[in-house]
Amino acid sequence: MNDDLAIEYITQLKGLGVWSAQMFLMFTLNRPDIFPATDLAMQKGYQAFFKLRELPKPGEMIKKSKLWIPYRTTVSLYLWAVLEGPFEW
């Protein structure tokens, strides 16, 4: 089943929304092209990476993310990592 259909199917379950479905697809099913633009950490990572003054709107992020198809899950992981800073021992 494709990503959109899987998200639609998962969100039919009580208590599971789009964000939960996206996390399931990314981390359990290892889907390569998920971009959770409504996630606050993603928005903050995107803002920091692109040096924006304000948080980006999810629609703007999704539009830009089309450049990264079919690797948006990897980009998402990098944007989350921007907030964590460099790895230190």
Side-chain angles (χ1 to χ4, degrees):
M1 140 179 347
N2 71 33
D3 296 337
D4 291 332
L5 188 57
I7 289 170
E8 183 180 325
Y9 186 78
I10 292 167
T11 56
Q12 290 177 6
L13 298 169
K14 186 176 180 174
L16 295 177
V18 172
W19 181 85
S20 299
Q22 289 171 328
M23 296 303 111
F24 181 76
L25 291 175
M26 287 175 77
F27 297 110
T28 302
L29 299 181
N30 297 316
R31 296 289 178 100
D33 194 38
I34 305 297
F35 193 74
T38 59
D39 183 89
L40 183 59
M42 277 278 295
Q43 292 171 357
K44 287 184 175 186
Y46 187 99
Q47 179 185 20
F49 184 79
F50 289 104
K51 297 175 176 60
L52 304 174
R53 291 182 182 202
E54 297 179 4
L55 278 179
K57 298 200 180 331
E60 295 169 12
M61 293 173 62
I62 290 170
K63 185 186 260 186
K64 174 96 175 185
S65 78
K66 292 182 181 186
L67 296 170
W68 305 315
I69 291 172
Y71 306 108
R72 291 184 292 184
T73 295
T74 301
V75 173
S76 299
L77 296 173
Y78 278 110
L79 290 174
W80 279 321
V82 165
L83 293 179
E84 297 175 6
F87 178 78
E88 297 180 20
W89 285 98

